[in-house]
Every structure is written in structure tokens, then in C-alpha cells.
Amino acid sequence: MKKQCLSAVIAACVAFGVTAELGAQPAQKQKSEINPAPTAKDWADIAKLPDWSGVWNPKITDQDAQIKTNMPPWNDKAMEQIRFQMAEEKAGRPPPLFVNCLPEAMPAWMLVTHNSMEILFTPGRVTMLGESDGNRLRRIYTDGRKHPDDPDPTWHGHSIGHWEGDTLVVDTIGVMPQTYIAISEAAGIPNNGDLHVTERIHLDPKNKDILLVDLEITAPKVLTKPWKTTRIFFRQRARIYDIIEGVCLEGYFKPGKDKWGNDIFEPIKHDVGGNRVPPK
């Protein structure tokens, strides 16, 4: 009986030992991890990328020139709307596209922005930060991930990119149908869905302070074929050109105090046309 008990204890110990040994094995790293901590090599690789530091301003004169030289291939319905918008603008009644603090979004940000931007490189991502509407942010994933099968539409869409030499190739889908394909701040058509934007972003080989954004925009609801255009940004390195916080509609308020003496913003009265009502 004692031998049987001893055998049982030994068997239990052996079983426990095997279990403990198996439990001691390190857990294997999940291959599905998409945001691993960057390594020293990841940061070292950043130094090998082209220098896109500084603040970039758009070349607005070129934006304006392309209205005459490179009109998007609008379908008939969209072209009718563009002609109306341009006639209103010429008559001094420009119909503003970007109102109510809504972002310029993609692809209008790249096409018609009048504001500066910064570009940040971090492992697995390129981030674009812009002034103005308070929500000017693009994340371009360069970690090898794919687009989601069914992306939730957003203002700037889902962007993935890869480097071909010193050129960043960006593919963007999942953009809200309400965002504009704009040729000016008063002329443009909502993409109306199925928008696909491809960009090739690179420095001008003749001038490293010029950034070129080559776009191919596919929008089958409003364009008869993909539209190719290039937008030009020039670099500012001086500290005075750092981008600043931009909060849309801030000009519609003034500093004031509430009944408890707290600092607040009070709305400024405006007429129906958006002009400030002069004080009495």
C-alpha cells in the first residue's frame, strides 16, 4: 500500500515537473502585432531617408495656373457645376467650399491648401501636420501593413506607403464621399465615393528645398478618367516660419468673463452673410 502511494506521488511529481517545464517556456511573440516598439536599427534607418525637415509652404500661383492648364476631366454634370462656381467667383460671389470648421481633407489639402505643413518621420510611419482647421493630420503607414478590407471612411482616408529610392509612394482609400476634389477654395466637387488617390512625393532633383507631390486621382462618380497633377511646396527653414496652432472659428469669439469670474470665450455677433456686427 505504501509502495502504491509512493508511486502515485512520484507520478504526480513527474507530471507536475513536465507541466512546470512546459509552463516555463517563453511565450512566442504574436506575429499579428502591428505597433512593435522601434529598435535602434529602426531609428538608424530613419537617418537614411531624404531630408524633409522644416516647414513647407504651397506654391499658390501654380495652383491657380493649373485651373487653366490642367483642368480635371470632369464628367458633364460635374463640369456644369464647376462652370457655375467659377462664374460666381468671377462675379465677386465666391461660393466657399470649406466652411463650418470642416477639414479641407483629402485630396483638397494637397491640391489647394494655402497653409504650411510639417512632415515627421518615425519608424513605420510618415506623419503630415498642417495649420488651419485644427484637424489637419495625415498618417501614412510605412510598416508594410495593408489597407483594411472594409475601412471606416474618414476625412483623410487610410494611407499606406513605401519608399522607392528617395520617393515616398502613397496609396489612399477610405475617404468620405463628401470631401472635395477642389481646384480652388470656391470651385470643386465632392468625390461622391470610390475615391482612390496615389501620390509620389519627392524632392526636386534640381532644388532640394522644393517638394513635389505627384497625384493621380481616381473618382469614377465625377471624373471620366484618372486625373494627374503635381503640387509644389517650398521649404522654409527659419524659426519664424514654424507652424502654429490653428483653431477654426476662433475669430468668431472674443475673450470675456462669466458670472463667476472665469475666463471664457464669448461669441461675437455676425450677420447672415458672416460679417461681424459692428458695436453700437
Side-chain angles (χ1 to χ4, degrees), residues 54-172:
V55 173
W56 297 95
N57 292 107
K59 189 173 182 180
I60 299 171
T61 54
D62 183 71
Q63 295 175 4
D64 296 339
Q66 289 205 47
I67 296 176
K68 298 179 180 178
T69 62
N70 188 19
M71 179 68 74
W74 305 110
N75 61 29
D76 291 342
K77 182 179 179 180
M79 191 68 245
E80 180 183 356
Q81 297 173 67
I82 289 292
R83 290 195 182 101
F84 171 79
Q85 291 171 329
M86 294 179 69
E88 287 292 286
E89 188 173 15
K90 187 176 181 180
R93 300 184 298 269
L97 302 182
F98 309 109
V99 295
N100 299 324
C101 266
L102 299 178
E104 283 183 347
M106 278 294 288
W109 177 6
M110 294 293 105
L111 292 173
V112 299
T113 184
H114 288 184
N115 300 93
S116 58
M117 70 173 179
E118 282 183 306
I119 303 174
L120 309 178
F121 293 163
T122 52
R125 185 182 300 183
V126 174
T127 303
M128 291 184 173
L129 302 171
E131 286 183 326
S132 189
D133 49 44
N135 190 29
R136 200 161 294 194
L137 167 67
R138 291 185 66 193
R139 299 179 181 91
I140 301 168
Y141 297 102
T142 58
D143 56 4
R145 72 182 68 185
K146 305 298 182 183
H147 288 305
D149 292 334
D150 186 21
D152 292 328
T154 59
W155 293 103
H156 297 103
H158 188 273
S159 295
I160 55 176
H162 67 274
W163 290 94
E164 293 182 2
D166 287 343
T167 298
L168 178 63
V169 182
V170 185
D171 191 84
T172 300

Side-chain angles (χ1 to χ4, degrees), residues 6-7 10 19 22 30 33-34 45 98 103 126 141 143 147 155 182 185 195 228 231 241 250-251 262-264 272:
L6 181 60
S7 299
I10 293 173
T19 304
L22 290 174
Q30 293 293 326
E33 185 178 9
I34 63 170
D45 288 342
F98 309 109
V126 174
Y141 297 102
D143 56 4
H147 288 305
W155 293 103
E185 292 186 337
L195 178 74
K228 294 183 179 182
R231 289 300 186 262
Y241 293 105
E250 188 172 340
N262 298 311
D263 287 294
I264 62 169
V272 292

Side-chain angles (χ1 to χ4, degrees), residues 4-18:
Q4 291 178 349
C5 291
L6 181 60
S7 299
V9 170
I10 293 173
C13 290
V14 170
F16 177 80
V18 171

Side-chain angles (χ1 to χ4, degrees), residues 36-55:
T39 65
K41 181 181 181 302
D42 292 331
W43 286 108
D45 288 342
I46 294 292
K48 301 175 185 177
L49 296 177
D51 174 21
W52 290 5
S53 61
V55 173

